[in-house]
Amino acid sequence: MAANRWRVAGYLAGLMTLQAAVFTTLGALAPFIRTSLDISTSAMGVIGAAPYIGTGLAAAWLGTWVDAGRPARVIAVTTAGMATALAAVAASLNVAMLMAGFLLAGVARSAVPPLTDRLGYELCPVDSRGLVFGIKQMGTPAGAGLVSLTLPTIAASSAGWRGAIACLAVVVVLVGLPLSRTVPSARPTPTGPPQDTPEEPAPAHGDDSPQPPPHRPATASARMLATVRPLAPVMTFSFGMGVFISATMTFLTLFFVDTVGLDPVTAGAWFALFSVGGAIGRIAWGWASDALWSGRRGYPLVACALTGGTVAICLGAIPDLLIGVLGPLTALLFGLVAQGWVGLSRAFGAETLGRGRAGRAGGVLLSSMMAGGLFGPVLFGAAVGVTGGYGPSWIAMGTIALLTAAMVLPSAVRERSPRTY
């Protein structure tokens, strides 16, 4: 069982790495794209929202497809979609075409996170699920780190940013197709809330009241309400932190170039450190939720939001002191506290809805996070354009993270351990 647990975690991390490489391409190549197409900083914020729009529109509904479909088919279709989207971005001649390509990229990758949520929930025992979800979500910063280290170097060569994206499209195909043929199939004894039908309500965290008898809502709207209502607290968290992390992922590299004075390649390396910190944080916070909080996810979620928001406020208020003392370690520590929440939130959702709806839970939470992503880059970029500096934007994003922590704290207090049912 233990060996299978690590094999599953590694496989899921590989899937998440692939989709993250596609999703974070803009962040890695933002300085090159901005210069090549002569795009303003505020316009870059609008473009940065495009992949979030695509994912937000598609993820909740594709989560249902993920629950019903064969994983191998989901991966194959998604691979084709991501490669096509990257080709469209590489061929873009203006801002409109660029936005359309990144929008398609957001749609194409949106089935992968719900699929990994479904497989992680079904294949891993509850006593290590937080750790496994953390390892799989490590793929997101890993993918971002890989593209940040490689794509700027390619873009700085004669290939340009278009050639860098074309190279990534080829890698997606070469990696994605083998992954579609090697989906883990060994399944341990199911754990978590029992579910007799795909639409049966499952007990939510922190709800000790008697559960109603199983029923099947008659309409699609009623079925979606039955999905959304128990997920409301973690959806709120995902939305607020989606605002925060989307702005960070879009503008951190530009901040390093414009404020710190780094060249684009070095700025990409610092962004890679941010991603490395995020990878470590997702595993560490996931392990802590299993070992220190008996599987409760709420308290570590609040801790991530509080510490991540505090560092963002410090970047806005005292950037010279923070970067002058810690240097590139600033990016590493920022990633450690600002990104550790993602795996925890997805485990929370899967455990709340239970078997048969884990993919839908992942899709709904991904849509919530992407809905926040619609606002983050736009608000951040607009504030930079108005104030002429990054300080007010970082302070605003940090404040949003702190408010998000305060909003979900009551749910964290009421939460029960998933090992009790």
Side-chain angles (χ1 to χ4, degrees):
M1 183 70 71
N4 182 67
R5 177 186 311 164
W6 298 116
R7 182 172 68 89
V8 169
Y11 178 85
L12 299 181
L15 279 176
M16 292 297 291
T17 299
L18 190 66
Q19 62 84 33
V22 174
F23 190 70
T24 56
T25 299
L26 178 60
L29 294 175
F32 297 95
I33 295 174
R34 181 179 64 174
T35 300
S36 173
L37 298 181
D38 193 22
I39 302 172
S40 68
T41 301
S42 51
M44 285 297 295
V46 176
I47 296 170
Y52 292 89
I53 294 173
T55 300
L57 291 174
W61 305 108
L62 288 179
T64 303
W65 173 55
V66 163
D67 281 332
R70 291 192 302 110
R73 179 176 298 174
V74 173
I75 297 170
V77 172
T78 299
T79 296
M82 291 190 295
T84 300
L86 289 173
V89 170
S92 299
L93 300 177
N94 51 47
V95 171
M97 294 177 66
L98 194 68
M99 285 194 65
F102 280 117
L103 183 74
L104 179 59
V107 172
R109 53 80 66 164
S110 61
V112 175
L115 175 64
T116 60
D117 287 352
R118 171 192 164 185
L119 293 175
Y121 180 84
E122 291 179 350
L123 299 177
C124 297
V126 66
D127 62 352
S128 62
R129 193 177 290 145
L131 176 61
V132 170
F133 268 70
I135 292 173
K136 87 174 184 67
Q137 291 297 146
M138 179 192 69
T140 297
L146 287 173
V147 298
S148 296
L149 288 174
T150 57
L151 295 191
T153 301
I154 298 174
S157 70
S158 59
W161 66 269
R162 300 180 192 277
I165 293 178
C167 289
L168 180 59
V170 174
V171 171
V172 166
V173 174
L174 294 178
V175 175
L177 292 182
L179 285 174
S180 71
R181 299 188 179 99
T182 56
V183 181
S185 58
R187 180 170 182 165
T189 302
T191 58
Q195 194 161 330
D196 296 331
T197 72
E199 305 302 338
E200 177 190 343
H205 282 280
D207 185 2
D208 294 314
S209 60
Q211 297 299 315
H215 70 282
R216 183 183 181 89
T219 66
S221 297
R223 290 194 292 271
M224 184 55 68
L225 179 61
T227 298
V228 167
R229 186 165 50 190
L231 292 176
V234 72
M235 287 176 64
T236 300
F237 185 91
S238 294
F239 177 84
M241 293 304 288
V243 175
F244 172 74
I245 201 64
S246 63
T248 301
M249 297 294 287
T250 301
F251 284 99
L252 189 59
T253 306
L254 293 175
F255 169 73
F256 290 146
V257 171
D258 297 340
T259 300
V260 182
L262 303 180
D263 63 87
V265 175
T266 304
W270 280 40
F271 187 81
L273 284 174
F274 175 77
S275 301
V276 171
I280 296 172
R282 292 174 197 223
I283 296 175
W285 288 108
W287 171 85
S289 72
D290 287 332
L292 304 181
W293 282 286
S294 299
R296 294 177 180 87
R297 317 302 179 191
Y299 285 125
L301 286 176
V302 170
C304 287
L306 285 175
T307 52
T310 300
V311 174
I313 291 174
C314 290
L315 282 177
I318 51 173
D320 292 338
L321 177 62
L322 190 65
I323 295 174
V325 172
L326 297 177
L329 288 179
T330 301
L332 181 71
L333 295 175
F334 191 23
L336 184 74
V337 297
Q339 299 188 60
W341 58 273
V342 182
L344 291 171
S345 69
R346 309 303 286 277
F348 198 133
E351 289 165 347
T352 297
L353 291 193
R355 293 189 302 276
R357 291 193 295 175
R360 183 180 302 179
V364 168
L365 293 181
L366 183 59
S367 286
S368 300
M369 186 171 69
M370 295 301 106
L374 300 181
F375 297 95
V378 175
L379 293 176
F380 196 109
V384 171
V386 170
T387 65
Y390 286 80
S393 295
W394 282 125
I395 292 172
M397 291 301 113
T399 302
I400 288 172
L402 297 184
L403 291 174
T404 299
M407 291 175 64
V408 301
L409 182 59
S411 298
V413 173
R414 296 192 302 268
E415 182 189 1
R416 290 184 295 142
S417 169
R419 300 174 193 175
T420 63
Y421 56 86

